[in-house]
Amino acid sequence: MARTRFAPDRGLTSRMVFVMFLIGLLAVVFVGALILFVPAGYLPIVLILAAGLLFAQFFFSDKIATFAMGAQEVTPEQAPELHALIDRLCALADMPKPRVAISQTDMPNAFATGRSPKNAVICVTTGLTRRLDNQELEGVVAHELSHVAHRDVLVITIASFLGILASLLGRMAFWFGIGGRERDRDGVPVELVILLISVVTYAVSFLLIRGLSRYRELAADRSAALLTGNPSGLASALVKISGDMGRIPTADLRKAEPFNAFYFAPAFTKDSVMALMSTHPTTEKRLEQLGRISQQLGR
């Protein structure tokens, strides 16, 4: 993590290390299976395609996210209050100020993206700024700045590489029949073996990354609450945003759903019923943690 005044979180660090270890172990098993079953001529193609996607996500995640959400960078003259709030929090956290963007949408949310604090972007929607007061908005922005300080986007991008690789290989086995008519020792088509290995690898990787994502949201809530010293402001913002999501048109929420992992709160909550599949903890769990922090701070 970059040097900042965000309170250190040993739980976040240990869980990141543990999940990355499991993903690394899974990668070793997966690569071993590739060597055994995938024809040598296909391996370079799969690796080049996966590396290309990872490169694009790593270096252009900020541009991809802001473009997809129709966000525009704003200057201090265009959004003086928002810039002043971010200036104050960055000074408090002792971290570089990210670029600031606004998305003209009624969906109340915010996200941070970028591979490092130096090229990060903090984006808020107009629906968010209209609904929240200054203390609530401060809590949300501090939450997003915590993601930047902890380099969460970078960690998740690297962790997702194995899933990208498994997904590509599975699709190639399904659509192009990798292995042709070759069969393994038990007479099972090679492409079927590759497809099954890819599906299992992708599923396990997906669950590990979702678990990491949920904990990083709790860690960002904790860091924001301790930095601002106002857990109740963040809790109030979370309640408002979660409640207002139900009144946003479904079409708008579905459009934003692919970016749930970036958001302060998920844009579409249907899948959140299944805890293992969710990018975010439940609202109740987040509020419970903020309540404990508030008690610790005597507020």
Side-chain angles (χ1 to χ4, degrees):
M1 187 181 78
R3 183 184 65 85
T4 74
R5 294 196 183 106
F6 276 107
D9 191 326
R10 293 181 180 177
L12 174 64
T13 302
S14 61
R15 292 199 183 200
M16 278 188 173
V17 171
F18 181 64
V19 171
M20 294 300 286
F21 169 77
L22 292 179
I23 291 176
L25 185 62
L26 184 64
V28 171
V29 175
F30 183 62
V31 170
L34 295 187
I35 295 173
L36 285 175
F37 293 102
V38 177
Y42 283 92
L43 278 176
I45 298 174
V46 176
L47 291 174
I48 289 172
L49 288 175
L53 288 174
L54 182 67
F55 177 87
Q57 187 177 356
F58 182 74
F59 285 99
F60 303 110
S61 62
D62 54 339
K63 295 179 177 61
I64 293 171
T66 53
F67 175 78
M69 289 304 300
Q72 297 291 329
E73 288 190 37
V74 292
T75 64
E77 292 74 25
Q78 293 171 314
E81 293 183 359
L82 180 59
H83 269 274
L85 186 151
I86 293 175
D87 283 334
R88 185 169 63 255
L89 288 174
C90 286
L92 191 61
D94 189 22
M95 64 181 292
K97 181 183 178 181
R99 287 171 288 155
V100 181
I102 293 179
S103 176
Q104 300 290 334
T105 175
D106 191 48
M107 182 183 67
N109 228 319
F111 67 86
T113 185
R115 65 184 182 276
S116 73
K118 291 183 178 180
N119 61 19
V121 177
I122 295 287
C123 177
V124 301
T125 67
T126 52
L128 185 76
T129 57
R130 282 198 301 267
R131 287 172 170 84
L132 302 188
D133 63 29
N134 190 64
Q135 289 189 348
E136 293 166 344
L137 184 60
E138 181 182 65
V140 172
V141 172
H143 171 104
E144 298 304 332
L145 287 175
S146 174
H147 283 315
V148 173
H150 286 95
R151 300 178 185 266
D152 284 338
V153 173
L154 171 62
V155 172
I156 294 296
T157 298
I158 295 174
S160 66
F161 177 72
L162 181 61
I164 294 173
L165 181 62
S167 176
L168 278 174
L169 189 62
R171 290 173 185 273
M172 291 180 68
F174 181 78
W175 292 109
F176 304 113
I178 292 177
R181 296 183 178 179
E182 297 180 26
R183 296 177 180 271
D184 68 7
R185 296 174 183 174
D186 297 323
V188 180
V190 170
E191 57 266 24
L192 180 58
V193 175
I194 296 172
L195 180 60
L196 291 175
I197 292 173
S198 298
V199 169
V200 171
T201 301
Y202 177 81
V204 175
S205 174
F206 176 86
L207 292 176
L208 288 173
I209 293 170
R210 288 297 174 105
L212 179 60
S213 177
R214 289 192 299 274
Y215 189 75
R216 76 188 180 93
E217 293 301 327
L218 288 173
D221 283 349
R222 175 183 179 274
S223 295
L226 293 176
L227 181 71
T228 62
N230 185 18
S232 61
L234 183 58
S236 178
L238 183 59
V239 171
K240 281 187 179 180
I241 293 172
S242 300
D244 282 343
M245 283 296 183
R247 293 189 284 274
I248 303 299
T250 301
D252 293 342
L253 297 181
R254 288 189 182 277
K255 181 180 178 181
E257 186 181 2
F259 300 94
N260 269 351
F262 291 104
Y263 286 132
F264 171 72
F268 199 63
T269 58
K270 181 179 179 180
D271 292 336
S272 296
V273 176
M274 301 177 63
L276 289 177
M277 307 289 282
S278 178
T279 58
H280 287 63
T282 63
T283 301
E284 291 76 13
K285 190 170 184 177
R286 296 175 73 176
L287 292 176
E288 180 183 351
Q289 176 185 245
L290 290 171
R292 290 196 301 268
I293 296 173
S294 183
Q295 290 178 349
Q296 293 168 6
L297 295 177
R299 300 188 61 138

